[in-house]
Amino acid sequence: MYQFAASIMCADQMNLKKELTELEKAETGLLHCDVMDGVFVDNMAMGPYILEEIKENTSIPLDIHLATVTPFKYMKMFAHIKPKYISFHIETSENPEKEIEFLREKGISPSLALSPETPVSEIVKFLPLVDMLLIMTVNPGFAGQPFNYSVIEKLKELNIYLKEMENPPLIEVDGNINEKTIPILYENNANVYVLGTSALFNTASGTYKEKIEKLTKLFI
């Protein structure tokens, strides 16, 4: 199973309604929404009002990534939007079990995010509790960074644990995901591919539908 998630932060922010329409035509599986607080990462993005407007103007399920400190504060802030997923970073969580339980109570699928330098051992005991793992292949915060190939070894290690599980969480990958990096990620059982400037929101010719159809051929 695989699907594409469009990183809406990389879209044309002055024409979001049109962008959403084009992403729906492309049959995008998820809208990846980065929420950044300017503390955990040196950038700020996507407050509740923006995501409320996005939710009201698309049928594509939202996939919110909290690149923040105090993730529980932001979960409470965004839970009313009813995204499909909320990912929060293990690096900033004081009580992952509590935060996972809160998301479940709100009908939101919980996901744990892991930065490139953080070892898989930090999330092993939480694997049975979540529906997805967001494995960052660049440092969170900014688009356009080079793909961190050391993360491939992390995926290999993670898959050892997941193979022992009856219902393992999905693996989502985010950071310079494109026709060059997708094949090696697919070999390592990635399920959800976040597409940003390098593969979707760029100046290359073609509609979003055409670009996604081209990427889909990599899985055949």
Side-chain angles (χ1 to χ4, degrees):
M1 173 268 183
Y2 70 88
Q3 62 179 323
F4 293 116
S7 179
I8 198 64
M9 182 181 75
C10 300
D12 181 354
Q13 302 299 299
M14 299 300 292
N15 294 286
L16 270 182
K17 192 167 184 179
K18 179 182 177 183
E19 294 279 70
L20 293 172
T21 298
E22 293 304 311
L23 290 169
E24 286 182 356
K25 290 178 182 177
E27 300 180 2
T28 307
L30 294 167
L31 280 183
H32 187 79
C33 309
D34 289 298
V35 173
M36 298 182 281
D37 61 358
V39 181
F40 180 59
V41 296
D42 293 330
N43 200 356
M44 299 183 72
M46 311 210 88
Y49 294 134
I50 293 174
L51 294 193
E52 285 172 6
E53 287 293 319
I54 289 173
K55 179 69 180 291
E56 290 175 4
N57 284 280
T58 186
S59 60
I60 304 173
L62 303 191
D63 167 33
I64 296 178
H65 170 207
L66 300 178
T68 67
V69 298
T70 60
F72 191 50
K73 167 186 172 182
Y74 288 89
M75 289 177 194
K76 292 185 287 186
M77 193 181 300
F78 286 88
H80 72 282
I81 299 174
K82 299 295 182 183
K84 182 171 184 178
Y85 296 101
I86 287 184
S87 299
F88 64 98
H89 276 263
I90 192 67
E91 297 91 352
T92 63
S93 174
E94 295 183 358
N95 192 334
E97 291 97 336
K98 176 184 176 182
E99 291 156 355
I100 290 168
E101 182 180 1
F102 173 80
L103 293 174
R104 292 260 182 232
E105 289 174 352
K106 296 297 182 180
I108 300 166
S109 292
S111 171
L112 271 178
L114 203 65
S115 294
E117 71 277 3
T118 306
V120 168
S121 58
E122 293 292 314
I123 60 170
V124 168
K125 72 175 183 178
F126 306 113
L127 294 180
L129 305 180
V130 297
D131 294 336
M132 191 165 72
L133 303 164
L134 172 55
I135 307 300
M136 297 298 302
T137 54
V138 301
N139 291 320
F142 292 91
Q145 299 177 63
F147 185 88
N148 188 334
Y149 280 92
S150 69
V151 175
I152 299 302
E153 294 306 312
K154 183 180 295 185
L155 288 174
K156 293 181 187 298
E157 180 184 356
L158 178 60
N159 274 296
I160 294 172
Y161 294 102
L162 298 184
K163 285 178 182 178
E164 302 299 319
M165 298 178 62
E166 185 176 349
N167 294 299
L170 300 175
I171 297 175
E172 181 176 33
V173 286
D174 180 12
N176 211 339
I177 308 302
N178 53 46
E179 61 184 3
K180 294 181 179 179
T181 56
I182 286 173
I184 193 170
L185 292 166
Y186 185 57
E187 287 176 7
N188 288 280
N189 300 316
N191 306 107
V192 182
Y193 299 79
V194 179
L195 304 179
T197 52
S198 68
L200 190 62
F201 301 103
N202 52 41
T203 57
S205 61
T207 65
Y208 294 154
K209 182 177 178 62
E210 289 168 341
K211 291 176 182 179
I212 286 179
E213 286 175 346
K214 182 179 179 181
L215 294 175
T216 299
K217 294 177 181 178
L218 297 172
F219 300 98
I220 298 174

